[in-house]
Amino acid sequence: MTAQPNPEFLRRAVALATRNVLTSTGGPFAAVVVREGKIISEGANSVTTTNDPTAHAEVNAIRAAAKALGTFSLAGCELYTSCEPCPMCLAAAYWARLDAVYYGASAADAARAGFDDAFLYAELRKGASQRKLHATQLLADEAWASFAAWIAAPNKIVY
């Protein structure tokens, strides 16, 4: 069960997002990861300064929290983000096993500012063969070898 949301953590994310813009460090997005009422990590969008299209605020904050806590599971933590997460960041929140996500601006607000994820949401609803990004499966039988090795591995860490 998640704790009651604390607006101060969201205010921190919004302040970081605004600072990110004013310092020309990146886009208007920032996030903080909180556990037991304390900020574990902060992250701001750094796509343009790092030339990394995955360097969204939420992903940066999740990576920093996992490193700080020494674990790949952020169960017991919440994410406060200045804007509703894009599909990639939402998926990262699920993979991190976060307990909750609290956001300020909506996806519609982001679209008004020129950040429109509607295309991505529409693409994800399509089958692989109908998507704009061409994707074709190759070497399926050979590729299964890594999964067979995983299944047989006695010392695997399940995540």
Side-chain angles (χ1 to χ4, degrees):
M1 182 171 183
T2 60
Q4 285 292 99
N6 184 334
E8 291 308 310
F9 295 131
L10 188 54
R11 286 187 181 100
R12 176 64 181 160
V14 170
L16 290 169
T18 303
R19 183 176 75 191
N20 208 44
V21 172
L22 297 177
T23 60
S24 299
T25 309
F29 306 97
V32 298
V33 174
V34 174
R35 185 169 91 176
E36 298 175 356
K38 294 183 180 168
I39 294 176
I40 302 301
S41 68
E42 299 178 337
N45 177 284
S46 60
V47 170
T48 58
T49 54
T50 61
N51 293 321
D52 179 353
T54 69
H56 289 201
E58 298 90 339
V59 171
N60 287 341
I62 288 168
R63 287 174 178 162
K67 184 175 182 180
L69 295 174
T71 181
F72 56 82
S73 174
L74 298 181
C77 297
E78 299 101 24
L79 179 71
Y80 288 81
T81 180
S82 61
C83 185
E84 186 175 357
C86 74
M88 176 183 70
C89 294
L90 182 60
Y94 274 101
W95 279 115
R97 310 292 193 263
L98 290 162
D99 288 1
V101 175
Y102 303 105
Y103 61 91
S106 69
D109 294 330
R112 272 194 357 229
F115 299 92
D116 191 358
D117 298 332
F119 169 75
L120 296 174
Y121 285 109
E123 285 290 291
L124 291 173
R125 285 190 293 274
K126 296 177 183 177
S129 64
Q130 280 73 49
R131 293 181 188 145
K132 184 173 180 171
L133 180 61
H134 180 77
T136 303
Q137 185 177 20
L138 299 174
L139 303 174
D141 292 337
E142 291 178 38
W144 177 253
S146 58
F147 288 109
W150 170 261
I151 291 167
N155 298 326
K156 64 182 166 248
I157 298 172
V158 178
Y159 62 98

